[in-house]
Amino acid sequence: MVHRKTVTILGGGAWGCALAMVAEMAGSRPIVWMRDPEDAAKTNRTRMAPRLSDFSLDEDIIVTADIAEAVGQAKDAVVLAVPAQAIREVTAIAAPYLSKNTPLILAAKGIETETGRLLSEVIEAILPQTTLAVLSGPSFADEVARGFPTGLTLACRDTRKARHLASLFMLPHFRPYISNDPIAAEIGGALKNVMAIAAGIIIGRKLGENARATLLTRGLGEMIRLGKAKGAKAATFSGLSGLGDLILSATSERSRNYALGIMIGRGTSVHQLIGNGQPLVEGVPTAAAATLLASTLNIDMPITAAVDAILHLGARIEDRMIELLARPIGRE
């Protein structure tokens, strides 16, 4: 009897459900854990993905609100697809049920706000012996669900294990490219959201395409500086999890981070956009967390700091733009 690979996805949002659909089409048996029992019950009844409108989940995709059941059945991989700031809590809850031989795939993008730690560092502190990979790249969940061609980076220090994990999702239209640089993949995925907000502010303020291109180029430089300080390779940032994800997130109004920046640039109150009850936009907490991390490492990240100041410190856009333009001339 052929063993059917089992993949558990923690997080029943748009991205988690899209990944479950890919895993099922690739021949795996997906289990989706949803935190809210009502969401899980409704999804089992209707088979409609709750945050991926107009898409139904195949009957072979198991949906449950029981994390012990979901993680306990995982044989080949557990994917963490919850919001970045929930990674610590969910990893700790899942840890007692996780087999020591089951690898984890981080599919969230961000930096922990309270500590300034990378999400991989949070996970490894809880599960130090577990193999950890990072899945990141330009990927709108609805396009993945529709079967549109998508390329991502699947990064793990052990490339042999990376190839095995990639095989769980490999399809003609969904291609994970292998990397042995998970830190770069993770930092690229986190900081592109901050740069997308900055790009949106520029466009919303009608400062021009030249300014956006300059900002994104310099923003990529900030990503590389932080990555190198954490042991990543500069070259990795030219790939899908760096430049590729940055292009998508900072040029399409379907990107929540870019759309948020545009609204701020047009003059909408920051509090109105990110206050209580508003949908989560991952670049908002990441801007603060990345600024904290850069300060700890003594790294110059002026664009990230400017976004953080506008979002969280009440800074005026004009003041921050003047500060950026007034910086001393340096080498590119």
Side-chain angles (χ1 to χ4, degrees):
M1 181 176 178
V2 177
H3 165 68
R4 190 176 183 190
K5 297 169 183 175
T6 305
V7 178
T8 288
I9 295 148
L10 302 181
W15 187 222
C17 286
L19 287 175
M21 294 168 70
V22 168
E24 193 275 332
M25 285 187 284
S28 298
R29 175 174 170 264
I31 303 170
V32 178
W33 172 76
M34 296 182 179
R35 181 190 291 268
D36 187 336
E38 291 186 6
D39 278 351
K42 183 178 179 180
T43 303
N44 274 317
R45 186 174 65 254
T46 66
R47 303 311 298 175
M48 299 300 293
R51 293 172 184 83
L52 198 58
S53 59
D54 301 326
F55 292 97
S56 60
L57 301 179
D58 191 274
E59 292 292 338
D60 285 346
I61 298 175
I62 298 169
V63 179
T64 179
D66 185 340
I67 199 166
E69 175 190 0
V71 176
Q73 293 187 63
K75 302 301 179 185
D76 291 273
V78 171
V79 181
L80 287 160
V82 297
Q85 304 311 315
I87 285 292
R88 180 182 293 275
E89 177 191 4
V90 172
T91 302
I93 295 171
Y97 312 110
L98 183 71
S99 166
K100 64 180 181 179
N101 297 319
T102 303
L104 286 174
I105 300 175
L106 174 63
K109 298 176 180 180
I111 300 172
E112 191 174 57
T113 53
E114 291 187 7
T115 63
R117 289 185 178 181
L118 301 181
L119 300 182
S120 61
E121 294 172 333
V122 173
I123 295 166
E124 287 167 350
I126 299 170
L127 295 165
Q129 303 303 318
T130 299
T131 297
L132 179 62
V134 174
L135 181 67
S136 190
S139 49
F140 287 144
D142 67 317
E143 291 194 5
V144 170
R146 291 181 192 280
F148 287 8
T150 301
L152 300 94
T153 298
L154 197 151
C156 182
R157 292 187 181 92
D158 185 332
T159 53
R160 181 182 60 83
K161 291 181 178 178
R163 291 186 184 280
H164 167 69
L165 293 173
S167 72
L168 303 177
F169 301 93
M170 183 72 77
L171 291 169
H173 67 267
F174 191 90
R175 183 178 179 85
Y177 288 81
I178 304 305
S179 168
N180 65 353
D181 193 0
I183 297 301
E186 183 179 0
I187 289 175
L191 287 187
K192 61 90 181 181
N193 287 328
V194 179
M195 301 309 161
I197 293 174
I201 291 173
I202 282 179
I203 296 303
R205 212 59 158 193
K206 297 185 178 180
L207 297 176
E209 301 284 352
N210 293 348
R212 179 174 62 174
T214 300
L215 177 136
L216 293 180
T217 304
R218 302 308 300 161
L220 181 62
E222 289 191 16
M223 293 160 62
I224 292 171
R225 283 199 295 277
L226 181 60
K228 289 173 69 176
K230 297 295 289 185
K233 305 168 189 174
T236 308
F237 289 92
S238 65
L240 289 164
S241 60
L243 182 59
D245 212 355
L246 180 62
I247 291 171
L248 180 68
S249 297
T251 61
S252 171
E253 291 193 37
R254 294 178 57 219
S255 159
R256 288 178 296 174
N257 294 280
Y258 184 58
L260 176 80
I262 289 175
M263 294 298 292
I264 293 171
R266 289 174 177 168
T268 305
S269 163
V270 171
H271 177 73
Q272 183 180 338
L273 293 169
I274 68 173
N276 291 336
Q278 296 300 316
L280 174 67
V281 179
E282 287 285 16
V284 174
T286 300
T291 300
L292 171 63
L293 179 56
S295 175
T296 302
L297 297 172
N298 196 29
I299 298 170
D300 188 28
M301 296 181 65
I303 298 172
T304 302
V307 173
D308 178 39
I310 291 168
L311 293 175
H312 301 116
L313 303 177
R316 295 175 67 247
I317 294 172
E318 287 77 11
D319 293 341
R320 286 299 169 174
M321 290 300 157
I322 290 171
E323 289 178 13
L324 288 172
L325 293 172
R327 287 171 57 81
I329 295 174
R331 292 178 60 88
E332 185 174 25

